[in-house]
Amino acid sequence: MTFRLFYAIALGMMSVAVLGLAEPAQETPGVKRMPFGKTKDGHPVDLYTLTNGNGMEVTITNYGGTVVSLKTPDRKGKFADVVLGFDTFDGYLGNEPYFGALIGRYGNRIAKGRFTLDGHEYHLAQNDNANSLHGGLKGFDKRVWSAKEMPAKDLAALQLSYVSKDGEEGYPGNLSVTVNYSLTPNNELKIDYAATTDKDTVLNLTNHSYFNLAGQGQGDILTHRMMIDADRFTPVDSTLIPTGELKSVAGTPLDFRKATAIGARIDQNDEQLKFGKGYDHNFVLHRQNGGLTMAARVTEPSSGRVMEVLTTEPGLQFYTGNFLDGTIHGKGAKVYGRRSAFCMETQHFPDSPNQPKFPSTVLKPGQQYQSTTVYRFSVE
Ligand code: GLA
């Protein structure tokens, strides 16, 4: 190396250090573990930090398989944490709305907490008015998962697994679930879900991260621009159970086929928006093929951050944090007000076990449940 080149590199490194431009520090891809706390019944849980070598970093706890933080750069290279959550483990033990958690066995609602499978009626906890929501009273979001750091060359990967016993939360079958989180060199958080059962059951797994691309706690998300590649959605009744119809988004405030500010129509006088208190609806994704397909693209104008959502799932619950009300104080003591984040829950349609025309959520012995979702971050 010539002296001049060496000098230039050294100078560059110094200015980066002084200006703090490269924060968080560049690292080789990998996973680090540290203790995070103890559950009420004394189980220790850990916090895993995944880094991808570009400075992007995600932390995940094996309690609920929860994404605790996700740091991505803005258009100037400045990093911010773009998901809601808590600095310490205690926050996750309180009454909180599934921040970052893995949701199962059944993401979204099952009407009246009931479904019939193979002639047998199963009863679930009615934890959302009369309906069952997000797996019941102690869903996958409140379970301690086994964690394994996965050796991988170019990416940081964490494997979580959990065995849900036959009858847990009212669902049939011993269900073995594996969720792989990986952070790729392309600034993608990739989630691979897999499961098997020993008895016919129903299953709908998702992740419940709350995003704010301006940074967590930076006000509402109404100026984010959202594109959802869906021609139809599943209209709901006043309890957010689908009517069974697949309705065209054309001419409705749910038409996001062209990128539109989330807040542009959110308070329109529309029955669906009233039922959801904003957006809280499942979109029928326009799938070009059977594999991983682009479902949505969100941009935040002030930071330039872009998030794309790709999935193998047929549906996407777009929820605009309508139930957040400022009572929760999250990371850095930030107040999480109404609509201060949005969720992109890739999934099968709500209440599918009671909707014969919806894609099936039944899993049988010998079958392998498999699903992948990617949250890809960039800037513009
Ligand atoms: C989902 C539901 C919402 C709400 C949140 C959690 O996104 O669709 O109605 O229950 O979870 O608060």
Side-chain angles (χ1 to χ4, degrees), residues 187-379:
N187 286 1
E188 298 163 326
L189 176 64
K190 181 166 178 266
I191 315 180
D192 293 295
Y193 305 84
T196 55
T197 181
D198 63 2
K199 209 189 223 181
D200 288 7
T201 192
V202 295
L203 185 60
N204 192 24
L205 301 177
T206 192
N207 174 278
H208 210 299
S209 286
Y210 284 70
F211 298 97
N212 184 329
L213 299 184
Q216 66 94 21
Q218 300 298 314
D220 68 50
I221 42 75
L222 299 178
T223 58
H224 284 58
R225 295 177 68 77
M226 173 68 67
M227 186 286 291
I228 303 176
D229 192 6
D231 300 324
R232 293 173 298 169
F233 71 106
T234 50
V236 286
D237 67 16
S238 64
T239 74
L240 302 186
I241 293 295
T243 59
E245 187 193 353
L246 304 185
K247 193 175 175 211
S248 169
V249 295
T252 80
L254 285 88
D255 190 347
F256 283 100
R257 291 173 296 182
K258 285 202 188 97
T260 309
I262 293 176
R265 301 162 297 181
I266 198 167
D267 287 320
Q268 272 182 11
N269 187 10
D270 173 273
E271 188 180 53
Q272 286 298 310
L273 291 177
K274 289 213 170 112
F275 288 160
K277 299 185 168 51
Y279 295 104
D280 194 352
H281 295 86
N282 170 63
F283 288 75
V284 179
L285 296 173
H286 174 235
R287 307 193 50 84
Q288 286 95 359
N289 57 48
L292 200 59
T293 303
M294 177 78 76
R297 183 173 194 273
V298 200
T299 58
E300 197 285 305
S302 69
S303 65
R305 286 194 185 86
V306 179
M307 181 174 84
E308 290 167 325
V309 183
L310 295 89
T311 189
T312 57
E313 286 296 301
L316 170 75
Q317 183 85 6
F318 171 44
Y319 167 59
T320 44
N322 312 306
F323 298 123
L324 297 173
D325 59 5
T327 52
I328 295 181
H329 295 207
K331 289 179 275 191
K334 291 284 193 321
V335 175
Y336 295 153
R338 186 153 190 244
R339 298 175 178 163
S340 59
F342 61 93
C343 301
M344 305 293 270
E345 302 157 61
T346 54
Q347 56 171 13
H348 271 56
F349 306 167
D351 199 31
S352 297
N354 294 308
Q355 300 273 356
K357 290 195 181 134
F358 286 179
S360 172
T361 50
V362 174
L363 183 71
K364 294 175 181 289
Q367 293 178 339
Q368 175 82 39
Y369 174 98
Q370 206 118 39
S371 153
T372 297
T373 291
V374 172
Y375 298 98
R376 182 190 288 155
F377 295 89
S378 58
V379 289

